Amino acid sequence: MIRNYVSIFKDFLYITKKRKTSVVVQLFLSSALSHISSLLPPIATAQIIAMISDANMHAVFLCAILYVVFYIIYFAAQHWNYHTYTTLAEHYHVEVQKDLFEKLASHDDILEQASKGKIMDTCNTDVCYIVDTINAFAESLMNILKLVIIFGIFMYYNVYVGIFVLVLDLFYLIVMDKNSSNVSRCYEGQRKYDDKMLDILNQMLTNLKQVKALNLMPNLNVKLANTRKKWCDKYLERRKYLTDRYCMIPILVYLGKIILYIILAYLVIIGTMTLDKLVLLISYFETTITATDTMLDHLLDLNNYKVQTKRIRAILSYIPKKELDFGEIDNDYIDGVVEFKNVDYKLKRGRYILKDVTFKLYPNEINAIVGHSGSGKTTIINLLYRLRKVHDGKILIDGINIYDYTKDVYVRNVSGVYQKPFVFEMSIRDNLNLVDRNKARQIEVCKRVGIHKIIEELPNGYNTIISDDENTLTIGEKQLLAIARALLSKAEILLFDEITGNIDTTMTEKIASVILDLKTDHTIIMVTHKPEMMDIADRVVVLNQGKVVCKGRRENVHKRCSLYRELHNRTFASISLDE
């Protein structure tokens, strides 16, 4: 039992990096002062009863003043406790959430280990309970301290009565703690199925149009129904244990309470205990039950918080299987010649996605990579983004292995845009500020991609908030904004992965003209399936089942490659978003 709570405390220290330690100490001290001061009013009550028996009104008034003093101390301690709690809550929520975001941004392969629903819930909900974890520790320990003091008082007045109260409370504590473990186990099961439902919901909302168009909701509802049933089973099991906790187990305490009152009444009758002592001990026994119940509730909370702290720690302590190393070459004068030399890339199970891929791409040209779905086009882009590492062969930029450049040099010189427009739900200005805060530079690149006038016509111009729908910018216009943001990086090499895949012909032609302009001072590498985009390419690499079947100047490839002609002549194509 103790080992379990020590483990939770260690998780708390790891998550918070022992920040705000002095405030944590204040939380414990204020809690201790609050609980100890709550034991003082019963003493004043017992003294009043004793003074009434002696008809001493002067002493009664003094005891009444003591009442006031005791409660002032109590509420001052409570105020101190609330203040420290608020300070910790604000700090831990902000800082730990920041740590989680930084960890996820640095190690995107965490998404392969946990569902998006679980990660989102951890970053949004679980961080709220960090301060409650340490507060539950403080309250539990101070209630134990209060109980020790009370047991000492019972022992002082009557050893046998003290032993009876101690045994009764320990029995109650052990039974309830076991109940807490069962409740926590069921709660952990509920959270597991909550995560699964959130993950399905997240995927459904991301692809809502396809879900509606293909009438997938009936099948999704079947899948959700099965998950909901498992959640309900865990919920009902948890409610069973909670019913025992609050409706069955307390009966034992109340039976013990009746026996204690009979014993105390007997001691008064035979003259071994005075009435004021009887009132004092009865008051303290009621406090014992309250303190034990409060402590048990906090221990139950701790068992529940264990779920949250472990989920947070799992992300923060995640160690990637293998980081892609950066080198020490910090040459920032890159021309942009990209070369694949006998590159192999395969999945864990041994299936090759790319096999012996060799080609060379040049600056001031539009280089198109084409092929059927699953041929390895997007894998090439991911390798250039360094999201994956080749298993054999080399990828060179200006004759230097891409893994030999420093991180700063590489990210400054390789940028691009994906198929789905990636813009945050914030103002246009803030989206651009993420790369470069220079407003003149922002306007310059927006003019270059042809979106400046569109932005100026919006009600709030560059301060317009971008929404998920098309009320502010269409999908094509968001893609232009994404291109502008990529240009702000001043990268020499621009990667475009099916950027016209989801937009109409008019916007495709506009983006094509933008890319034609960009090639004058960039190396353009684009994956595409649209004939309009193929037609603007200077050089083409044709892939089939992970191998290069044809490459060279577009005109030559068109003459001698039947696969290219087949791809070019297609009116419609099915595009895989996850090669």
Side-chain angles (χ1 to χ4, degrees), residues 270-436:
I270 64 175
T272 57
M273 183 176 289
T274 59
L275 186 61
D276 57 309
K277 301 299 185 295
L278 170 70
V279 172
L280 180 67
L281 294 181
I282 287 177
S283 177
Y284 278 147
F285 182 76
E286 295 291 344
T287 303
T288 299
I289 300 304
T290 303
T292 304
D293 282 336
T294 303
M295 180 181 65
L296 287 166
D297 285 339
H298 284 303
L299 291 177
L300 174 61
D301 288 339
L302 276 175
N303 278 289
N304 290 336
Y305 298 152
K306 177 178 67 176
V307 178
Q308 277 92 4
T309 55
K310 285 196 176 299
R311 284 156 61 110
I312 296 171
R313 180 164 185 167
I315 293 176
L316 294 180
S317 63
Y318 175 76
I319 300 175
K321 296 173 184 176
K322 190 175 182 181
E323 285 289 315
L324 297 186
D325 298 326
F326 284 94
E328 298 181 357
I329 295 177
D330 59 356
N331 171 32
D332 205 9
Y333 298 99
I334 289 177
D335 293 325
V337 178
V338 177
E339 185 175 6
F340 275 56
K341 278 191 173 183
N342 308 112
V343 170
D344 291 347
Y345 180 79
K346 58 185 177 181
L347 301 177
K348 290 180 182 178
R349 56 183 179 269
R351 183 172 71 87
Y352 279 90
I353 302 298
L354 298 176
K355 179 66 175 175
D356 197 28
V357 170
T358 298
F359 59 79
K360 197 169 186 177
L361 309 177
Y362 297 90
N364 309 123
E365 290 187 351
I366 298 174
N367 303 277
I369 300 173
V370 301
H372 285 301
S373 174
S375 60
K377 305 185 300 296
T378 296
T379 299
I380 287 176
I381 297 296
N382 288 335
L383 288 171
L384 285 169
Y385 274 126
R386 288 176 48 98
L387 299 176
R388 302 285 184 270
K389 188 170 184 178
V390 299
H391 292 110
D392 201 5
K394 294 180 180 180
I395 303 176
L396 309 174
I397 292 179
D398 291 355
I400 298 172
N401 196 308
I402 63 171
Y403 304 113
D404 291 338
Y405 285 102
T406 64
K407 182 176 182 179
D408 287 342
V409 168
Y410 199 82
V411 298
R412 278 200 302 267
N413 285 280
V414 179
S415 185
V417 181
Y418 281 98
Q419 178 177 10
K420 185 177 180 181
F422 173 60
V423 288
F424 288 99
E425 194 167 334
M426 54 177 68
S427 71
I428 294 171
R429 177 77 68 198
D430 286 338
N431 267 280
L432 298 172
N433 283 343
L434 292 171
V435 182
D436 188 342

Side-chain angles (χ1 to χ4, degrees), residues 381 384-385 410-418 435 482-483 485-496 523 525:
I381 297 296
L384 285 169
Y385 274 126
Y410 199 82
V411 298
R412 278 200 302 267
N413 285 280
V414 179
S415 185
V417 181
Y418 281 98
V435 182
I483 296 172
R485 190 174 57 192
L487 280 180
L488 281 175
S489 69
K490 302 179 182 177
E492 295 294 336
I493 300 168
L494 295 177
L495 310 176
F496 298 121
T523 299
I525 302 174

Side-chain angles (χ1 to χ4, degrees), residues 23-41:
V23 184
V24 171
V25 171
Q26 291 183 52
L27 184 74
F28 277 79
L29 290 176
S30 60
S31 180
L33 182 59
S34 173
H35 282 285
I36 292 172
S37 61
S38 70
L39 296 175
L40 299 177

Side-chain angles (χ1 to χ4, degrees), residues 43-242:
I43 297 175
T45 303
Q47 286 299 311
I48 288 174
I49 292 174
M51 294 305 106
I52 290 174
S53 301
D54 296 338
N56 188 344
M57 283 303 297
H58 178 70
V60 169
F61 281 117
L62 287 176
C63 290
I65 293 172
L66 278 177
Y67 252 124
V68 175
V69 172
F70 293 158
Y71 278 116
I72 288 174
I73 295 172
Y74 173 76
F75 286 112
Q78 286 285 87
H79 183 273
W80 183 19
N81 185 260
Y82 289 152
H83 175 72
T84 55
Y85 178 95
T86 303
T87 302
L88 290 173
E90 178 186 18
H91 180 78
Y92 286 152
H93 185 99
V94 171
E95 293 302 319
V96 174
Q97 191 177 72
K98 186 193 301 182
D99 291 342
L100 286 168
F101 282 13
E102 289 176 355
K103 189 74 174 184
L104 290 166
S106 302
H107 307 293
D108 60 319
D109 50 334
I110 296 176
L111 296 174
E112 298 174 7
Q113 309 298 321
S115 68
K116 288 183 180 179
K118 182 176 181 178
I119 290 174
M120 290 171 64
D121 199 32
T122 297
C123 293
N124 183 54
T125 304
D126 292 344
V127 292
C128 299
Y129 293 99
I130 298 170
V131 68
D132 291 318
T133 301
I134 193 61
N135 185 63
F137 265 111
E139 290 297 310
S140 298
L141 288 175
M142 295 315 133
N143 274 295
I144 291 173
L145 175 62
K146 181 192 284 189
L147 289 170
V148 169
I149 294 172
I150 292 174
F151 293 146
I153 293 171
F154 270 103
M155 294 289 187
Y156 175 77
Y157 286 111
N158 190 295
V159 174
Y160 298 109
V161 171
I163 292 174
F164 175 80
V165 173
L166 178 60
V167 170
L168 178 64
D169 200 60
L170 285 175
F171 176 74
Y172 181 52
L173 181 62
I174 291 169
V175 173
M176 288 290 269
D177 187 68
K178 184 177 180 181
N179 177 272
S180 296
S181 298
N182 289 327
V183 172
S184 177
R185 176 177 53 78
C186 296
Y187 175 72
E188 189 170 3
Q190 283 182 254
R191 291 302 301 269
K192 172 185 172 183
Y193 295 116
D194 275 332
D195 291 338
K196 288 187 176 182
M197 286 189 284
L198 273 173
D199 206 36
I200 294 172
L201 176 63
N202 179 59
Q203 294 174 51
M204 186 180 78
L205 293 177
T206 303
N207 303 281
L208 191 57
K209 290 182 179 179
Q210 293 92 321
V211 170
K212 293 169 68 176
L214 300 174
N215 193 31
L216 300 179
M217 275 309 299
N219 289 331
L220 278 175
N221 281 329
V222 171
K223 187 175 180 64
L224 282 168
N226 185 46
T227 306
R228 289 192 188 104
K229 182 182 182 303
K230 292 178 180 178
W231 182 92
C232 288
D233 290 342
K234 287 296 179 184
Y235 173 77
L236 292 174
E237 186 181 0
R238 180 168 173 253
R239 291 302 303 177
K240 172 185 172 297
Y241 287 120
L242 287 173

